[in-house]
Amino acid sequence: FGARAGVPTQIGFEYRLQTGLHSNSHPQETNSFSSIIQLDGVKPLRVRFAAAHLGKASSILLTSLKDGQQHRLDTEVLKAWGNISAMLNGNAVRMDLLVAPGDEGVFAEVDSVIWPMLNSVSPDRGPNGPALATLCGDDNRVPSSDNRVGRIPGCTAWLISNGAVLCAGHCTDNNGNLSGSFEVNVPASDSDGSPNAAAVADQFPINTGSVQWGNGSVTGDDWCVFGLNANSLGENAHLKFGFFRVSQANPGTDATVRITGFGVDNTPTGSSANACCSQNSSGTCTHRGCNSRNRTQQTGTGDLDNLNTDGAARYWNYDADTEPANSGSPIIWTATGFTIGIHTTGNCTAGSDNYGTAFAFAPLANAMNSFPGGIPRYMDNTSYPGVLVRDGNIFRPFQTLSEAYSTAPNNATVHVVEGTFPKSRAGNVTTIGSGSSKTVTFRAPVGRVHVGE
């Protein structure tokens, strides 16, 4: 079910279960089938459905026997989740088939149980291959709770201002596939470092059809752009948690940057000193003895060194602490709060720096500017570092409605960042596009927008 640099991110185990056909002629919902799904050694787990017919209002209810967390899947939710449940803690769940009044021929068929492999990750890449560790001296990371940054299988990802999500390209499999969910409010791991899944409502399934990526052989060509589907409550992650703005500006040498993510942690050693919590692409264990902070959100700061230009590649050097599974973390310019790139590479223990793909790398910038398709332009009434001319690019968004309408091409869609916008800078435009035949669509993908004086 997917591998990253040769390391599985999800492993599927065949598990056959059929409910049979059920109908309900009663006025109340009926529980027509119930069974325990259990697989020793697999935790947390996901349930995959080979087929299902849930009628107009019937559903499948999965309940973790460890903590009681539930995921209810009707026809639409099952489709949004790609016929796979959210992660549920423990190695056993109860499955109930709830048949709504009047529904006929309702059934579900399970074909496998999936182990998300949250704790089996490929180390961050070094210039000459996987690095064994990426701390720049002592581990200075501290726990954090920024829900703009989430955990995905084996990596970290984060939300940006146009509704997209960014991570490292090597977080995908060798064909650019990315699966699983974006988790926030991740709980503590067990004392031996075994990760626990977030609450079902805090899991947002990855839109597998939206992935754009690059994973070249050189540092700096390592990036991924994708979208998310709604969570089990129908909520949008960007609307609920916010987002980062992005910048192509150069903060300069010795500027402070912050790396926030879900890296492994074995300092201090957890309760099982020999348990492996990270392995490289050859299957060799690189980290043992992880603790309860393993694969939970932590953050740390360090100095930015410089922007490297290696052929067409563009990447940053910095000495902020990271560890394997920090791959994909935002590189945050602390003075402004803007992000300047994607953390990808660990090399501090080799006497150099950690690395990350810069937004100046053209393929990444183009993918961000083309999300989510069509002819997108962007609008944001916020000052962007070093930007004097606003042309509708995600790094230089329009600032007013009149600028956006007059400059955007016909049939463009303008994605507007949440906030309040004047109709023009001078405040004297009362009609936008009077007499024009141009069509421009305005959308607010990440929050509420108010246009007016």
Side-chain angles (χ1 to χ4, degrees):
F1 295 107
R4 186 183 59 264
V7 178
T9 57
Q10 296 191 112
I11 295 180
F13 298 90
E14 183 177 355
Y15 195 105
R16 300 290 179 178
L17 178 65
Q18 296 181 340
T19 65
L21 298 175
H22 299 273
S23 301
N24 183 7
S25 59
H26 303 288
Q28 296 86 28
E29 181 180 76
T30 61
N31 188 343
S32 299
F33 176 89
S34 185
S35 181
I36 301 298
I37 298 173
Q38 182 170 344
L39 202 59
D40 292 340
V42 174
K43 59 176 185 177
L45 59 77
R46 306 178 73 196
V47 178
R48 190 169 87 162
F49 297 89
H53 173 68
L54 299 175
K56 294 181 179 179
S58 297
S59 60
I60 302 161
L61 181 65
L62 297 172
T63 304
S64 164
L65 299 190
K66 178 179 180 179
D67 59 14
Q69 278 287 316
Q70 295 183 320
H71 192 192
R72 185 164 181 152
L73 302 104
D74 59 18
T75 299
E76 293 302 316
V77 173
L78 192 61
K79 180 180 178 181
W81 283 78
N83 292 334
I84 307 175
S85 75
M87 289 181 288
L88 293 163
N89 285 317
N91 67 346
V93 299
R94 187 179 72 248
M95 173 179 149
D96 297 308
L97 185 68
L98 307 179
V99 182
D103 275 351
E104 298 180 346
V106 174
F107 77 94
E109 178 183 343
V110 175
D111 70 354
S112 56
V113 170
I114 295 175
W115 184 17
M117 298 289 285
L118 294 178
N119 210 20
S120 181
V121 299
S122 175
D124 294 358
R125 296 172 51 177
N128 300 309
L132 293 180
T134 60
L135 297 175
C136 302
D138 293 336
D139 190 349
N140 294 314
R141 297 173 298 166
V142 296
S144 56
S145 56
D146 187 341
N147 283 340
R148 297 174 297 176
V149 185
R151 184 175 71 181
I152 62 175
C155 282
T156 298
W158 45 291
L159 312 174
I160 65 170
S161 60
N162 65 346
V165 189
L166 302 183
C167 70
H170 71 265
C171 298
T172 70
D173 70 7
N174 294 327
N175 296 310
N177 297 310
L178 188 66
S179 58
S181 59
F182 175 93
E183 297 178 85
V184 297
N185 295 318
V186 171
S189 296
D190 294 341
S191 62
D192 65 354
S194 298
N196 289 304
V200 170
D202 286 328
Q203 299 180 42
F204 296 79
I206 292 169
N207 182 335
T208 56
S210 67
V211 178
Q212 301 179 68
W213 68 295
N215 186 18
S217 59
V218 297
T219 303
D221 183 9
D222 191 353
W223 55 273
C224 182
V225 180
F226 62 95
L228 298 175
N229 293 331
N231 68 357
S232 60
L233 303 177
E235 297 171 322
N236 177 289
H238 291 75
L239 296 177
K240 189 173 178 66
F241 302 120
F243 48 86
F244 289 97
R245 290 175 168 88
V246 295
S247 174
Q248 291 179 322
N250 188 339
T253 302
D254 294 332
T256 301
V257 294
R258 176 178 298 279
I259 306 293
T260 300
F262 293 82
V264 303
D265 195 326
N266 62 354
T267 53
T269 302
S271 62
S272 182
N274 291 321
C276 182
C277 44
S278 178
Q279 59 183 351
N280 64 21
S281 58
S282 300
T284 301
C285 187
T286 61
H287 290 66
R288 297 184 184 274
C290 282
N291 55 44
S292 61
R293 294 201 300 200
N294 179 52
R295 295 292 277 122
T296 64
Q297 192 183 108
Q298 299 188 77
T299 190
T301 60
D303 290 338
L304 185 71
D305 288 336
N306 62 292
L307 176 66
N308 284 276
T309 58
D310 183 6
R314 301 288 185 273
Y315 57 95
W316 297 106
N317 290 13
Y318 42 86
D319 59 11
D321 284 333
T322 68
E323 281 280 44
N326 265 117
S327 289
S329 295
I331 306 170
I332 306 166
W333 181 4
T334 59
T336 65
F338 279 70
T339 54
I340 58 172
I342 303 169
H343 170 70
T344 62
T345 305
N347 202 44
C348 259
T349 52
S352 183
D353 298 306
N354 292 330
Y355 299 82
T357 304
F359 294 141
F361 183 56
L364 169 58
N366 292 339
M368 294 166 66
N369 270 304
S370 67
F371 185 90
I375 314 173
R377 296 293 187 273
Y378 306 97
M379 178 174 156
D380 188 358
N381 191 23
T382 295
S383 296
Y384 276 58
V387 172
L388 300 178
V389 178
R390 315 273 290 232
D391 59 6
N393 184 289
I394 191 173
F395 307 104
R396 302 177 295 277
F398 299 124
Q399 201 163 10
T400 69
L401 192 69
S402 57
E403 287 176 335
Y405 183 83
S406 62
T407 307
N410 189 36
N411 295 322
T413 297
V414 177
H415 299 273
V416 187
V417 177
E418 68 177 359
T420 298
F421 296 79
K423 285 178 283 188
S424 72
R425 285 201 183 97
N428 58 3
V429 175
T430 57
T431 302
I432 302 297
S434 178
S436 172
S437 61
K438 178 192 287 187
T439 297
V440 176
T441 301
F442 290 85
R443 293 185 64 248
V446 294
R448 184 180 297 274
V449 171
H450 174 77
V451 178
E453 307 304 333

